[in-house]
Amino acid sequence: MEQKKFDFNSIIGFGLIFVIIMWMMYNNRQTDLKEQQEKAKKEKVEKAQQAKQSKTKELAAVAQDSTVADSVKIKELQGALGSFAYSATLPSAKEAFTTLENEFIKLKIANKGGYIAEATLKNYERFTKNSKQLVALIKDNNADFNLQLQTKDNRVLNTKDLFFEPTLTKVGENQILSMKLKSGANEYLEYKYVLAPKKYLVDFDIHSQGLSAVLNTSKPIDLQWDLKTFRNEKSISYENRYADVRYEYEDGKDNYVGQGKDKEETPEKVTFIAFKQHFFTTILLTKTPFATSKLHSNNLVNDEKIDTTFTKQFRANVPLVATNGELDYKMNWYFGPTDYKTLKEYDRGMDKIIPLGWGIFGWINKFIFIPLFGFLSSFMGLGIAIIIFTILIKIAMSPITFKSFLSQAKMKVLRPEIMEIGEKFKKDPMKKQQETMKLYNKAGVNPMAGCIPALIQIPFMYASFQFFPSAFELRQQPFLWAKDLSSFDEIVKLPFHIPVYGDHISLFPILAAIAIFFYMKMTSGDQAMAQPQQEGMPDMTKIMKMMIYISPVMMLLFFNNYGSGLSLYNFISNLITIGIMLVIKKYFINSDKIHAQIQENKAKPKTEGKFQKKMREMMEQAEAQKQLQNKKK
């Protein structure tokens, strides 16, 4: 047996490992202790700041008391507010409001905070079951606007807690309101509002004078803007689907913060931030881009039966950079409808907030749908305008529809010969493909001719799904039994809730589903017959039969809660397509004539096109390689 001996190398190795482990444990312990100390220190600072801010609020409120002249209270104010205690001792240091108003909007600006406490749209009503109420984008403390100021004596002050001095003047037809947060007779932070007649856009400047000696401007000043959006429409879920934060950044790009819970984006060089609701929007625009930003969106509707007051919580944090120790920002507020034409008129890029689709879908909406529908709706009712609009679009698309049906008819005539080729060369797929292509070439038939027209129509269909939910004109406009073309057309209220479907029955989706059923019933047979069955591929006949029933069911489920204007468009669109199809089949497509024409084409000598020649050569090369591989075996 081998005698065991002490292995000094092993002992040294174990010793080193033990020392390393002990060192790591000690180091981790020191790191944990350091992190705990830093965390405790941070919490202590935060608590101190919160206590200081709370004290600031209390002392600022003291200024409303007639006994504010008491020297003790003045000293307390000076101790908490520093130089800004001057504003708290002025007569304006009280809960009061100044009103700006034109034909479109009414704004109430509070002395406390200097921000807009109420923003009401005078020409639009929100959905209510009982009394009529105007749309109010801001009211009942659903919004905050604040600049967080850091003073040179290490104070953190929030403008929303401090009192501004208002001065209202009028220059021509423009109303000008200056709100000044003063640290002295000629030292102040100013919010200036300018409201012109018949405008939703308000000039808003932030300017400071003489504060370079008071404020610490070595770091940017945080602008904090919060808004909790009120429900204004009949369907809170439908409205919420189109409520989000939109923004323009980096010289004209636009994007949005996602839907759902606690979504956040941090774009740079931001030129406007839009807290967009379905049909109304609050926008902050700046001529000096915000270098960075932190935009936040949170969904507040968890249960439609309970959460019926608010839709989203929006928040924006952006830095304001001082120049030579002073602030000077030229900005604007927009309080108004999310209407493409209205937003476009201001020429500030705000129309980008309307989701019309990207690329070709957006072009169709901007250059065809919006101008055409705008023209029609200018002199007729909205429901009739949708019907005429749909008829014109379908007539314009009828040549494409005709080509699609003609291609299907040709393929149907050729189907027996294609099946014969398939049976003859069923053991040689390559040869079958070659012979099929030869048949198409001789007959003068393009198998893709039926697909291309259908593909051309898809962008128009998708564009309509973007256009109608964004069409502000449809809001609260009735047609037949639909009380509001921008919302669902409820005819029966259910005593229970069906998942996906909802708690009501809408009629236009039912009519659209019926129209889709008959359209697919009439076309699915031709499409299945036109497409020869390929070996190893799914049976098209079975797929088409399934789609006959699946498509109407999908329409019923998903469109029950959509705007009735979109459902009306789909109903009329399918109805017209059925009519066009019947006319084409009866007067323009004759199977015997098509068959005779195909036979005539076969007899004519055919010049092989470049694409067909290339395809033939590729197939021949593939066949040659296959034969060579078979010989080697």
Side-chain angles (χ1 to χ4, degrees), residues 73 110 133 175 186 203 410 414-415 468 471 481 552 602 610:
K73 291 181 179 179
Q133 297 178 12
Q175 302 167 60
N186 297 307
D203 291 346
K410 288 181 178 180
L414 282 178
R415 183 177 171 84
F468 283 100
W481 57 85
K602 286 182 182 180
K610 290 183 179 179

Side-chain angles (χ1 to χ4, degrees), residues 369-580:
F369 282 10
I370 290 175
L372 178 59
F373 190 75
F375 170 72
L376 294 173
S377 61
S378 66
F379 61 88
M380 63 178 68
L382 271 296
I384 300 298
I386 291 175
I387 294 172
I388 302 299
F389 171 84
T390 312
I391 292 171
L392 293 175
I393 294 294
K394 297 307 291 185
I395 289 175
M397 300 291 289
S398 58
I400 297 172
T401 307
F402 174 76
K403 286 186 178 181
S404 180
F405 287 148
L406 182 61
S407 177
Q408 288 177 19
K410 288 181 178 180
M411 293 293 291
K412 186 176 179 181
V413 169
L414 282 178
R415 183 177 171 84
E417 294 181 58
I418 294 171
M419 291 181 68
E420 185 179 338
I421 291 171
E423 185 64 28
K424 185 177 179 180
F425 300 103
K426 62 181 179 180
K427 293 184 178 180
D428 191 347
M430 184 66 69
K431 188 68 174 175
K432 181 175 71 173
Q433 190 70 22
Q434 289 176 344
E435 293 299 317
T436 303
M437 291 296 292
K438 285 180 183 178
L439 176 63
Y440 288 148
N441 187 39
K442 285 182 180 179
V445 174
N446 183 355
M448 297 300 294
C451 300
I452 294 172
L455 291 174
I456 293 173
Q457 296 183 66
I458 288 175
F460 285 84
M461 181 185 69
Y462 181 80
S464 71
F465 280 84
Q466 299 292 105
F467 170 72
F468 283 100
S470 300
F472 184 83
E473 302 98 315
L474 300 181
R475 185 178 185 270
Q476 296 184 349
Q477 295 298 316
F479 180 65
L480 299 177
W481 57 85
K483 296 179 181 179
D484 183 350
L485 284 169
S486 70
S487 189
F488 55 81
D489 56 311
E490 176 186 310
I491 57 168
V492 176
K493 181 71 174 178
L494 299 175
F496 48 84
H497 184 274
I498 301 173
V500 181
Y501 187 73
D503 59 357
H504 62 273
I505 298 174
S506 299
L507 183 52
F508 276 130
I510 295 174
L511 295 176
I514 293 171
I516 287 175
F517 175 79
F518 282 106
Y519 166 72
M520 297 202 70
K521 190 80 173 174
M522 295 171 70
T523 59
S524 59
D526 289 344
Q527 290 175 357
M529 289 291 289
Q531 299 295 329
Q533 177 64 29
Q534 299 291 330
E535 188 177 347
M537 297 295 288
D539 190 342
M540 289 301 297
T541 305
K542 291 182 179 179
I543 293 174
M544 290 298 178
K545 284 182 179 179
M546 289 173 60
M547 291 304 296
I548 291 173
Y549 300 100
I550 291 174
S551 295
V553 171
M554 297 291 284
M555 170 65 74
L556 280 174
L557 288 176
F558 293 106
F559 277 67
N560 191 58
N561 292 292
Y562 268 65
S564 51
L566 180 59
S567 299
L568 173 61
Y569 171 82
N570 279 282
F571 168 56
I572 300 298
S573 178
N574 284 290
L575 212 58
I576 294 170
T577 304
I578 291 171
I580 291 173

